[in-house]
Amino acid sequence: MKVLVVGPGGREHAMIMSLLRDPHVSEVHAAPGNAGIARDVPVHPLNAQDPDAVVALARELAVDLVVVGPEAPLVAGVADALTEAGIPVFGPSREAARIEGSKAFAKEVMAAADVPTARAVATSDLAQVREAFEQFGAPYVVKDDGLAAGKGVVVTDDRERAEAHARECLDAGGSVLVEEFLDGPEVSLFVLSDGTHVVPLQPAQDFKRVRDGDRGPNTGGMGAYTPLDWLPEGFAGEVVERVARPVVDELRRRGTPFTGVLFCGLAVTSQGMRVIEFNARFGDPETQSVLAVLETPLGQLLLDAATGRLSEEQPLEWEPGAAVTIVLAAHNYPGAPRTGDVITGLEDAAREEDTWVVHAGTARDAAGNLVSAGGRVLAVVARGADLGEARERGYRGMEHITLDGSHHRTDIALDAAHGRVALPGVGAASSSPADPDGGTGADAPPTARTAEEQA
């Protein structure tokens, strides 16, 4: 089959790498791609949020499948336009993508489907925000109701800071969700759906805070790992039965079937599993780790989901061992990143055993140099027999890379590798409130990282 992958980032590069390993896939194109993607497959300039432009390119290339990576094109209706043109697309319709595009809508769907989630108040009124603060207490969780690239959440004990974030969202003409705080570790689970059937991938955990020890402001994700050996047996099956299948059934009942990947952001709390949020696409950087160990051919899976042929009977196959992803970010990220800095050492990094580099925000300058072009610039992904070996290989690869002013976390998967992740009530450290800059309290152990601080 011939596949077109729409999107510019690390998630798309990881999918392309996986598609190129699929014997069913004869050709892969990308639009608009990035410098790393351009090294691997043909790229095409494109406004990914222009449905007509995406349809025109898919027709020109005569592709058998379009895979839409980012959330914005889905909310813009790109999948709808492709479906109307008779082109198979992996990605939900505009209406189904509201599960990510509006957190209030997601809460409404979860209530109708009886899905366990945090209590919340959706409002565009500051007085109601204050009332919700009184109702739920600290730590305060305030979420921008719209798309925010993983950075629209504030979790803090500082009520003034929480109110300031809410006011900023409301002043911009939006609305917010104020939620109760969830204790316990965070889990990401991707569930493929063809609108009726659902197939879970392997759970992963990402790291949203910018600094070691889960301190500092939220980012789009600074790293991830899989598998999560500390999860209870049958966890993925529980998520399918209590979360993914009810949500997919509810969306189909509403006449807006969900076709694509439902990203379930979950908290494993002292009160049981709870949904934090949904995304309507693969997450970044979890995708890099999960696809690194997926042995089942990805292209056929995505085509089956796009064409209503997904099988729940055939179990997916996974490589043994673990995978760790470490993100390298540009100077000043998650603030306005500095771009245009030269990147070197990628070839040396990729020479490390079972290690490779996934590009996200990269480009070529006029002289042909590889330069930074975004906040999260690239990721080093490594596999190993266990998390310890995968971490060692990944960080050894990162040592080869130079980018002026860049930064990365040094503790990705560290606690899991040392068996220090525990569930609430099973020997876990108690959760500490968040500090004023959005991290955990100064004395909080790394294992106290909670799902809401990661959302």
Side-chain angles (χ1 to χ4, degrees), residues 29 50 56 72 75 79 112 122 140 152 196 208 239 258 286 298 341 382 396 401 403:
H29 292 254
D50 182 340
V75 174
Y140 305 105
T196 301
K208 281 291 195 298
V239 176
F258 187 97
E286 297 99 321
L298 179 65
D341 290 317
R396 196 161 58 229
I401 300 174
L403 171 62

Side-chain angles (χ1 to χ4, degrees), residues 107 110 115-118 143 179-189 204-205 228 230-232 235 238-239 242-243 263-278 422-424 431 449-455:
K107 289 289 187 181
M110 282 188 276
V115 169
T117 187
K143 298 181 177 182
E179 287 190 349
E180 66 175 329
F181 181 78
L182 297 178
D183 61 352
E186 167 264 350
V187 175
S188 299
L189 184 68
Q205 186 177 62
L228 311 186
W230 45 267
L231 280 176
F235 179 83
E238 179 188 5
V239 176
R242 298 187 62 198
V243 177
F263 177 136
C264 303
L266 309 157
V268 188
T269 79
S270 55
Q271 303 302 312
M273 180 262 294
R274 297 287 185 272
V275 174
I276 309 165
E277 64 176 355
F278 292 117
L423 304 180
S431 295
R449 181 170 58 89
T450 66
E452 281 295 354
E453 291 169 339
Q454 295 295 305

Side-chain angles (χ1 to χ4, degrees), residues 41-361:
V41 302
V43 297
H44 306 267
L46 180 77
N47 176 1
Q49 296 182 49
D50 182 340
D52 292 338
V54 176
V55 169
L57 179 60
R59 282 176 169 160
E60 176 187 337
L61 296 173
V63 297
D64 303 294
L65 174 68
V66 177
V67 179
V68 182
E71 60 273 30
L74 295 170
V75 174
V78 166
D80 303 73
L82 288 162
T83 298
E84 289 171 9
I87 301 169
V89 54
F90 181 83
S93 66
R94 185 204 310 261
E95 187 64 24
R98 288 183 65 205
I99 200 78
E100 176 173 6
S102 168
K103 294 177 179 63
F105 175 74
K107 289 289 187 181
E108 175 194 321
V109 170
M110 282 188 276
D114 196 25
V115 169
T117 187
R119 294 178 299 156
V121 171
T123 182
S124 55
D125 180 74
L126 191 59
Q128 290 184 340
V129 169
R130 292 169 178 150
E131 290 174 5
F133 287 164
E134 293 294 332
Q135 179 183 356
F136 298 142
Y140 305 105
V141 181
V142 183
K143 298 181 177 182
D144 189 334
D145 185 41
L147 297 178
K151 294 181 285 185
V153 182
V154 163
V155 182
T156 180
D157 257 353
D158 184 338
R159 179 160 173 168
E160 289 185 5
R161 181 169 182 269
E163 186 170 315
H165 178 64
R167 187 182 298 109
E168 180 181 347
C169 296
L170 299 181
D171 287 348
S175 58
V176 297
L177 248 70
V178 181
E179 287 190 349
E180 66 175 329
F181 181 78
L182 297 178
D183 61 352
E186 167 264 350
V187 175
S188 299
L189 184 68
F190 303 141
V191 181
L192 305 182
S193 171
D194 63 3
T196 301
H197 306 98
V198 291
V199 174
L201 302 188
Q202 186 165 285
Q205 186 177 62
D206 79 332
F207 294 74
K208 281 291 195 298
R209 300 292 183 181
V210 71
R211 298 200 295 268
D212 284 4
D214 297 300
R215 291 173 168 82
N218 269 347
T219 71
M222 295 298 293
Y225 70 94
T226 191
L228 311 186
D229 293 336
W230 45 267
L231 280 176
E233 187 175 354
F235 179 83
E238 179 188 5
V239 176
V240 165
E241 294 307 319
R242 298 187 62 198
V243 177
R245 195 185 306 282
V247 166
V248 168
D249 288 347
E250 174 64 17
L251 289 173
R252 187 176 66 254
R253 186 191 67 78
R254 293 174 179 228
T256 57
F258 187 97
T259 300
V261 59
L262 184 67
F263 177 136
C264 303
L266 309 157
V268 188
T269 79
S270 55
Q271 303 302 312
M273 180 262 294
R274 297 287 185 272
V275 174
I276 309 165
E277 64 176 355
F278 292 117
N279 292 334
R281 38 73 190 182
F282 281 109
D284 185 344
E286 297 99 321
T287 299
Q288 288 85 316
S289 290
V290 172
L291 295 187
V293 293
L294 177 64
E295 191 172 326
T296 300
L298 179 65
Q300 190 62 51
L301 267 179
L302 302 187
L303 182 62
D304 287 346
T307 55
R309 301 197 306 262
L310 201 59
S311 171
E312 296 182 0
E313 306 304 320
Q314 184 67 33
L316 302 184
E317 297 181 358
W318 300 92
E319 297 278 355
V324 172
T325 298
I326 307 151
V327 170
L328 183 70
H331 175 73
N332 199 46
Y333 179 79
R338 190 175 74 201
T339 59
D341 290 317
V342 174
I343 309 164
T344 63
L346 272 61
E347 296 80 5
D348 292 332
R351 289 192 191 100
E352 297 290 345
E353 186 176 2
D354 267 344
T355 302
W356 55 97
V357 177
V358 176
H359 291 239

Side-chain angles (χ1 to χ4, degrees), residues 380-405:
V380 176
V381 184
R383 280 196 309 243
D386 53 30
L387 283 175
E389 185 173 65
R391 272 179 45 82
E392 180 182 349
R393 290 173 175 173
Y395 279 107
R396 196 161 58 229
M398 185 66 79
E399 289 174 0
H400 293 288
I401 300 174
T402 61
L403 171 62
D404 187 44

